[in-house]
DNA sequence: GTGAAAGCGCTAACAA
DNA sequence: TTGTTAGCGCTTTCAC
């Protein structure tokens, strides 16, 4: 009478129909050649007839393995992460795994953290884009699965990490501007507080060092903090700057998305790009190839980042603790030649 | 000797330290007031001291519940899905659930389907953006969890669905163009084959009916099929059209992303927008507010779609089988007033 | 108010 | 070559 325990067909059902043990069914379905071909065929037939599908939850509880890699990102609608995720997913699909994406942001940071991090134990490994998460937080969570940090700056801790060379990238971009006629460069989305250790801060450091290395004066008023990460933040900040009468002849935006908002604000105010104002973004997203003018940008080499992450996952111990991926500068139409 | 079964702290460990049963621990941790306050406190202390985190896999196997909703989308770097996912995630976070995103596309469609759909059983419900999945496929998968279809056209089958009113949206957009000076409108990303039943086809239907209803002649040569879904596809198609000398005075693009590529191609060829050529896209993505000129678009009301999906998940049976969300037209700068 | 026991569906040892 | 057994870590009756 318990042929249908709930609604789904279980492995036990298949075993019963095929007249074999559950172990035999499990073996055949997982490609372990433990039984005679005739038995295997009988099992396969029974499974198909019943419409059996393995319960991944039970499989994981028993075997400890999933074929899923979690990727935790701060926002779901950011082109940079979308493109990076695509690279990761392509590689993982090819090796029979799959990528699963979750958002870490949302309303309150830490409230989510507690509940959400627990859920990450469902994955074989987790790629975590660190923003507000501090090392002590991570340790206190008692992470038992491989965790790869995708970050801005080397963080002390026991987890391997792939870090983008933010400072060098920003340095190159700003140096290019300074050596191509710019004297007053807005750092759009920069950071004034020296205690922060995030992407914003790292890129501002590069902005500063570029001025220093080329003996250009640096105006703190040109380092503009942003309240958001979307194009509207860049648009609003540039509009405010123009309205205030602050002169500038270039914009280095913390991300391409922000740069796109900035370019719109410049166009609305009647400035030409790159004639009146040059613009460089960061991330080299695809959208930048279709803006008017096409956006020059710091290319973080997402495909290399993805590869480095997967390598780190593949070789848990032997790999170096922190891999830094260098950036290059992609010049398009928003900067002077 | 089996105090540490593996590496993680289990509920049994907490029970032992607190000197209570596993049931008591489980109850307290799940907020079920079954024990005395003093006992509860002891359990909480023990859990914190040991750094206990519940194993979600085991919880699910036993209780059948996750707090995760799966969202399966065709590509990871499409703004429309990113924005829709953000709406869904915002709502779900607020009610203690979380959204998990996976890609259905990738290399081969059906090969993935088999392995991947099985994994979806890990979720309480799955929101599936249907593209190449046919109804028979779905049924054969023996889905045992609530499945919401997010689609273009009502599909026969047992699953509730939220459908975008593609045809009406396209009809409105094209009618606007036809009544504002356009006579030769390119349907960029249209479909010639009448047997398809996808988004492409639905929007082309609206394009056709708009011509018909307003007594405008329709040129099949202006219905251009695309090989991709990114801006490069729109860019390439428009460039080809211009090179071929095909005259046109408006473009209705199947998505905003394609429209953005088209606008770039028009600019490169020296056409003004909307003076020489008007452009309307579909999806009303945020990026459209920052293009030059700002992009007019069919607004599918993603927040309403998200709400409808969640309503359908919340009330499994009582809800209507298929909900259609109407679209509106958002006019910006890429069309004539 | 609390504990004991019975599994959820599966896999990995060990027996046969 | 195959079947039996013992759990993975948790929730949930049911007894006390």
């Amino acid at each position: 009478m318990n042929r249908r325990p709930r609604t789904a067909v279980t492995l036990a059902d298949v075993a019963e129909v095929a007249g074999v043990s559950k172990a035999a069914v499990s073996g055949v379905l997982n490609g372990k050649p433990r039984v005679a071909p005739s038995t295997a065929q009988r099992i396969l037939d029974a499974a198909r007839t019943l419409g059996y599908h393995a319960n991944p939850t039970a499989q994981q509880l028993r075997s400890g393995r999933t074929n899923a890699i979690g990727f935790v990102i701060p926002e779901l609608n950011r082109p940079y992460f979308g493109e990076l995720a695509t690279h990761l997913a392509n590689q993982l699909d090819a090796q029979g795994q799959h990528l699963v994406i979750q958002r870490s942001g949302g309303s309150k940071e830490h409230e989510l953290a507690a509940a959400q991090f627990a859920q990450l134990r469902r994955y074989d490994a987790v790629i975590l884009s660190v923003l507000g998460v501090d090392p002590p937080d991570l340790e206190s969570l008692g992470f038992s699965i491989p965790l790869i940090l995708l970050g801005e700056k080397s963080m002390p801790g026991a987890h391997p990490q792939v870090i983008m060379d933010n400072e060098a990238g920003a340095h190159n971009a700003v140096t290019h501007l300074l050596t191509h006629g710019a004297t007053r460069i807005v750092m759009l989305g920069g950071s004034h507080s020296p205690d922060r250790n995030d992407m914003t801060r790292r890129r501002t450091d590069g902005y500063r060092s570029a001025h220093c290395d080329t003996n250009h004066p640096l105006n703190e008023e040109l380092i503009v903090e942003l309240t958001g990460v979307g194009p509207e933040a860049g648009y609003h900040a540039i509009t405010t700057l123009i309205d205030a009468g602050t002169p500038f002849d270039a914009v280095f935006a913390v991300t391409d998305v922000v740069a796109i908002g900035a370019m719109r604000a410049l166009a609305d105010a009647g400035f030409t790009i790159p004639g009146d104002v040059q613009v460089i973004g960061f991330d080299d997203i695809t959208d930048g190839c279709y803006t008017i003018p096409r956006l020059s940008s710091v290319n973080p080499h997402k495909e290399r980042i993805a590869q480095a992450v997967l390598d780190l996952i593949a070789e848990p111990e032997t790999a170096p603790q922190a891999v830094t991926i260098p950036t290059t500068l992609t010049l398009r139409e928003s900067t002077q030649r």
Side-chain angles (χ1 to χ4, degrees), chain A:
Chain A
M1 202 45 58
N2 56 2
R3 288 283 306 283
R4 311 241 80 192
R6 294 198 180 250
T7 58
V9 181
T10 75
L11 191 146
D13 296 327
V14 177
E16 188 177 338
V17 169
V20 295
S21 73
K22 294 192 293 172
V25 178
S26 175
V28 169
L29 263 34
N30 292 2
K32 307 235 178 84
R34 271 185 22 118
V35 301
S38 65
T39 312
Q41 192 53 53
R42 198 150 32 90
I43 290 171
L44 256 24
D45 289 344
R48 190 164 322 109
T49 305
L50 292 174
Y52 170 76
H53 291 272
N55 182 329
T57 306
Q59 287 181 306
Q60 180 181 5
L61 182 58
R62 186 63 246 242
S63 71
R65 263 173 280 106
T66 331
N67 283 314
I69 306 287
F71 184 27
V72 180
I73 61 181
E75 294 289 341
L76 298 175
N77 56 352
R78 306 237 303 243
Y80 169 72
F81 287 110
E83 293 179 12
L84 181 56
T86 299
H87 286 296
L88 288 167
N90 287 346
Q91 303 241 26
L92 288 171
D93 279 355
Q95 60 191 63
Q97 308 238 97
H98 53 264
L99 188 74
V100 171
I101 297 169
Q102 278 182 241
R103 180 176 71 167
S104 63
S107 39
K108 299 180 194 172
E109 202 164 309
H110 284 286
E111 202 172 47
L112 281 170
Q116 225 177 13
F117 277 117
Q119 302 292 333
L120 298 179
R121 290 179 58 180
R122 269 193 265 254
Y123 305 117
D124 283 346
V126 170
I127 304 162
L128 180 61
S129 178
V130 233
L131 280 185
V133 183
D134 299 323
D137 290 352
L138 283 180
E139 302 310 327
S140 74
L141 287 166
F143 242 81
S144 46
I145 62 175
L147 179 66
I148 310 287
L149 263 32
L150 202 61
E152 321 301 345
K153 172 70 199 268
S154 178
M155 294 170 77
H159 304 287
Q161 39 194 311
V162 175
I163 62 194
M164 194 192 291
D165 200 351
N166 286 293
E167 186 165 349
H171 184 281
N172 288 347
V174 174
T175 300
H176 179 88
L177 292 172
L178 289 171
T179 56
H180 287 73
T183 56
R184 292 182 54 87
I185 305 173
V186 174
M187 169 75 226
L188 189 59
S191 169
H192 285 113
S193 53
D195 54 318
R196 288 172 69 171
N197 191 15
D198 60 359
M199 172 259 274
T200 286
R201 181 63 214 292
R202 304 304 299 164
R203 296 183 186 175
T204 305
D205 285 347
Y207 170 88
R208 289 183 192 280
S209 63
H211 282 79
C212 187
D213 293 354
T214 55
N215 276 320
H216 281 267
L218 189 146
N219 303 284
E220 286 292 331
E221 62 170 349
L222 293 179
I223 299 178
V224 185
E225 296 199 353
L226 254 36
T227 52
V229 291
E232 67 285 351
Y235 183 90
H236 182 255
I238 289 295
T239 302
T240 303
L241 223 46
I242 291 171
D243 288 350
T246 309
F248 58 92
D249 50 20
V251 173
F252 172 55
V254 77
T255 64
D256 280 0
V257 169
V258 166
I260 287 172
M263 291 208 292
R264 223 321 162 185
L266 289 167
D268 282 350
F271 290 94
T272 63
I273 306 171
D276 297 329
V277 178
Q278 301 186 63
V279 179
I280 295 188
F282 204 118
D283 286 348
D284 200 24
I285 62 178
T286 304
D287 311 54
C289 304
Y290 298 92
T291 53
I292 296 175
R294 291 180 176 82
L295 181 63
S296 296
S297 186
V298 178
N299 181 357
H301 295 288
K302 304 175 202 79
E303 65 296 332
R304 291 187 57 190
I305 293 177
Q307 188 58 59
V309 167
L310 297 176
D311 288 348
L312 245 29
I313 291 177
E315 21 180 329
E317 304 305 330
T318 65
Q321 274 300 95
V323 178
T324 300
I325 307 296
T327 63
T328 56
L329 194 55
T330 300
L331 296 174
R332 298 203 180 87
E333 303 168 351
S334 64
T335 45
Q336 305 279 10
R337 301 224 124 263

